[in-house]
Amino acid sequence: MPDLGALLSPQSVAVVGASPDTSIIRGRTLKVMLHHRYPGRIYPVSRSHSEVQGLKAYPSIAELPERVDLAVLTIPAATVPDELERCGKAGVKAAMIVASGFAEDKAEAGAAMQKRIAELAQRYDMAVCGPNAEGFMSAEARLCPTFSPAVETLDVPLLPERTGAGRVAVVSQSGGIGFSFFDRGRPREIPFSHVVTTGNEAALECFDVVDYLLDEGSAEIFILFLETIRNAGTFRRAAAKALQAGKPIIVAKIGRSEAGRRAAASHTAALAGEHDVYSAMFRHYAIIEGHDLEEMVDIAACFSAYRERLPAGRRVGIVTASGGAGGWIADASVAAGLEVPELDAETRGRIDVHIPSYGTSQNPVDCTAQAVRQLGYSKLASFVAASPRVDSVIVVVSARSAEVYERERANLDWVGRETQKPIVMWSYTLPGAAPAKILSAAGFPLIASMNNCARAIAAMAEYRALREQHSRAKESEAAPAPIRIDVARPVLCEYEAAPLLAQCGIAMPPSQLAKSAEEAVAAAKRLGGRVALKVQSPDIPHKNHAGAVALNVEGAESISRAYEAVLAGARKHRPDADIRGVLVQKMAPAGIEMIVGAKRDPVFGAMLMVGFGGIQAEVLRDTALAPAPVSIGDARELIGRLRARELLAGADIEALAATMASLSALALSEAVAEVDLNPVIVHPLGNGVSVVDALIVKRQDGRNH
Amino acid sequence: MPDLGALLSPQSVAVVGASPDTSIIRGRTLKVMLHHRYPGRIYPVSRSHSEVQGLKAYPSIAELPERVDLAVLTIPAATVPDELERCGKAGVKAAMIVASGFAEDKAEAGAAMQKRIAELAQRYDMAVCGPNAEGFMSAEARLCPTFSPAVETLDVPLLPERTGAGRVAVVSQSGGIGFSFFDRGRPREIPFSHVVTTGNEAALECFDVVDYLLDEGSAEIFILFLETIRNAGTFRRAAAKALQAGKPIIVAKIGRSEAGRRAAASHTAALAGEHDVYSAMFRHYAIIEGHDLEEMVDIAACFSAYRERLPAGRRVGIVTASGGAGGWIADASVAAGLEVPELDAETRGRIDVHIPSYGTSQNPVDCTAQAVRQLGYSKLASFVAASPRVDSVIVVVSARSAEVYERERANLDWVGRETQKPIVMWSYTLPGAAPAKILSAAGFPLIASMNNCARAIAAMAEYRALREQHSRAKESEAAPAPIRIDVARPVLCEYEAAPLLAQCGIAMPPSQLAKSAEEAVAAAKRLGGRVALKVQSPDIPHKNHAGAVALNVEGAESISRAYEAVLAGARKHRPDADIRGVLVQKMAPAGIEMIVGAKRDPVFGAMLMVGFGGIQAEVLRDTALAPAPVSIGDARELIGRLRARELLAGADIEALAATMASLSALALSEAVAEVDLNPVIVHPLGNGVSVVDALIVKRQDGRNH
């Protein structure tokens, strides 16, 4: 890995293509750097000027007076690869490329040039960011090689002066969006350590930057904007490191609406789309998914203030002088997954002496404008925070003018310092800059949107819970032994899948493959009781749809008839099907039908899925997904995430969880592309599960284990 | 109804309790009125001053030089009723009461005083607003009898100067929230005609004000904030009038999280909670539900701009210079229920000539910063708006500085005037005041939140669709004949409910009540085939839970055994139950189990519900609700709102809809509190439905029809 310190905290920078014309990118980038008073050395490189914006310019990178750490290339796409090579030869350690017209271009030349950038970065071990990016902002280094208007016209220092809050790093594949987080957060006094836009990621990827910043240490919270993740290893390493360090990541991953669910042989692959896989991976590392710019800034603001005092649970106390506003945010809190419990008698007693008879201390605590005038918001908030019934506090304020906050400033500072529970301010009026500054200095996030406020508190509680869950580690669990698959065909039907499942410890009901009606009758007799007859053909993965299944059959005559009917159904459905016989299987008792499956994601590898079975799976898509391996504890947690989980009350959830954990071994096998256990019938507690159908789709690239 | 014109557009106003001390409410209210230069006559009424804030003051309302239209009472609660009576006697036509300490007070005196206010309002035919309100703002009248800081410190005119947009009226039961809509919307150049806060609504209710304003005509869009609706008639009248006039209402109704689902005899009453009823009533009148302050202002802003050019459908075109931002809002659009279709070749061709090869005209149209610089946002937006594939356009902009908008101002004005499809601007950077002003003058809403932008467009499309649906009216349908219920007991079980259902045209499978095992066997023989046996007792509404049902029974011996088992189950479940016998019923064929029910809401009257039946209803709460009567068309639409509606593919939805419409007659009967048809088994298309259980709960106040 090249040295990202040379990129983000260089001692010296060359601006290749620098121009005196500040209306064009080549001039603006230098102007922005000078505007923010980068304290290191800047060398304009220009063929046509000996001086640019007051600095001595040099005709080429090779002719600089020193070997610079960073070259900022503000030149057109076509000239970038050669220039980058010159940089490499000159010993430059890092480069920032802003030009567009590479892999995102319809012309083929763009992709080729991008490939060359990647090769040069590797050859010269350069930290190359871009192309098609908007540059970056590195606050401590006071370095802004970017043409972003959010930084260009900034008339305050990059970092707010008075704040003890944790710093936020933004790493974004989109330049515009990356800087817009800063644009929205900086006026609210949120400290940003970095904004790095990675563009097309010819060399450096988003999670390379995150990984570096985790070690570098200045950022405590990360906001990421992703169009894709190119490398699962880089992602996993950085995500695990962030989780370990307790540095939350808030991510927006776009492409939900496109995430086409490809036509797939297995239900699992059809149900678990690309976005579901991303969500499962994010959840696995306690990464918080954001859904709007301001929302993500609000969540970051709350983490920034309370990173070391995260709420221990989801119970929130609400302090308000407006009954209507208090009731509304109570609704929003419940909708966000929080609870608004009644306060304890002791806390209520402490509050009641201060509020008039038309207020209430229940929760929301409607303390009336009168009590706010007398005591101030912070004092009232501290009363509520002291209640053992709440884990965090929302204070409903009107932050349009600073007057009231100036009056209680000492108390605000004190409460902000001393509180062990997050206290977050929601302003129902449009927040002004002055109140935001006072509240920020006292350590309180001030949020303009009610829903974002509730969501941010829920995200903090969720992050803490997921992190604690992770630390009760499972890393020590032995990896399951890989399963070898000796069947040559790409699709294994039930009778072929059963022995492999048995190797993982997943039993199916007794069965026998019959090649004739007579064999079917004999098999049924041996099995006893009612049986199911199911055609076995790799060409008919969905036997039910094909009418190639008969259930609950009993008696020689019925079985013979069913055998013929099942075969006829299969042949009608697909005349050229390779039919291996008819599986005669002992009927399982009734229960709740679930689907358990696995699929191999091209980026993240084996994923395990559980969901409600049958037609419900297709209509309601009530499924949950996690990366394999999945422990029994993970499996239990996964089942608990299903919307209709209450349907499983009284059922043998433990046996279902064990089946899911067992399927891990098979899911992890390199040879497996998709597995369906569908349905898995879950019986009442203590009676286990019956896996009554199975399908395995092998990977097409010939790997066998 | 008293004259609300005297309240909101008076010629003369008395301020009772007016004080020179502007730090207290009694002084501030007068100060705010003077600040906004109310052109009518203002008379301070003060016992202790002969002049207040430069105006001659009078010792009592009786001694004013004229009979004033409006008295603003800024005096303490205890003195309000007597003063109001003096106002009545003096011929004052309207009063605004701001004091707290009435029905919301824990002390009983408050409720009594509020009752007296209501009586006085009626006796003197006065338009009385409040108490416990924050006053109002009436823009055209330039009248602001309020102490709201949002108006007090406003340094621009109440109405923006240059706008052709429709005016927005806010009517709110909460003072703080009411004015906060204005506080957030006015800086964005949104024209507000009124903000009226109604507080405890001793006399005037929110929908009285809406009704008046609909006639008065200045407001085109309504934002409402409700804690409750006191009077269904007032609501229905105003809501219907607004819908008829095409003046959209955007409402927040709080209390969702409390909306306790009371323990109820019927599933329907348990499933359709208070909030579900409100949502059903809102939907019935195409009222849009909002979920946050800024969101509601954003929705109002879009309606204000495009009230007469609402989108004909849900297809949206997206214009962007940032690929990331375009992709993100495409996701948000799809999540909001919009579609982002690929543009037609002709439109693409017109765009392609203007954008570089690294852009794309697909949709989102990534036209790159270069094309925006050359053509401007408005031109690009008009290209996309011309596509027959879209109904509206989102333009992704950076509105932090005004430069780019100043440059294309003429084009913006032209496109804003000419476009027949809504074009809405979303700024990913924090919008500045100057761009907002230019865009607003050109007629474009500028929205800071991506999700609100998508939601606002979806709300416009939905409003138009619901309104068109309503205008294909059903008002002409004959009201169903009321059904008379002659059973004295409060709960009617299936055998008693069946004849009443038959009167409405709902048939149940053939059945017979048996009082002995022999009778049961004989009944089964007469019915033929397999039968169900179900205990009939008004004390056992949930027979299944009680184990007092046997299904699929056949043969004399089995029937005898089942008869005894069903009775034993009932007696074990409730030893003192009044058992009327065992209903022997012909088994219905299998199908999809639904629940159809009705309940009487204490405010809105009869409501009809449909949902998926069985344990799923309880777990997934997949139900839809509408006020009765429900036509077959309404019923179809209701079924179409179920999340799992796809499960009904191929089933006899028409028969289900007919059953729902038929139940209207019973639901409308004054005697009925709750009805369950549970389950209604829906058979394949053409095979109808089987209603195989029914329960009717009568109203407890003795009405019989």
Side-chain angles (χ1 to χ4, degrees), chain B residues 522-540:
Chain B
K525 193 169 172 194
R526 196 178 59 77
L527 294 166
R530 292 179 177 184
V531 294
L533 285 84
K534 304 184 267 187
V535 94
Q536 298 292 294
S537 164
D539 301 322
I540 308 179

Side-chain angles (χ1 to χ4, degrees), chain B residues 13-18 26 29-30 33 42-46 70-72 74:
Chain B
V13 185
V15 182
V16 181
R26 298 195 288 120
T29 304
L30 179 57
M33 288 168 67
I42 304 181
Y43 302 104
V45 173
S46 167
L70 169 65
V72 178
T74 61

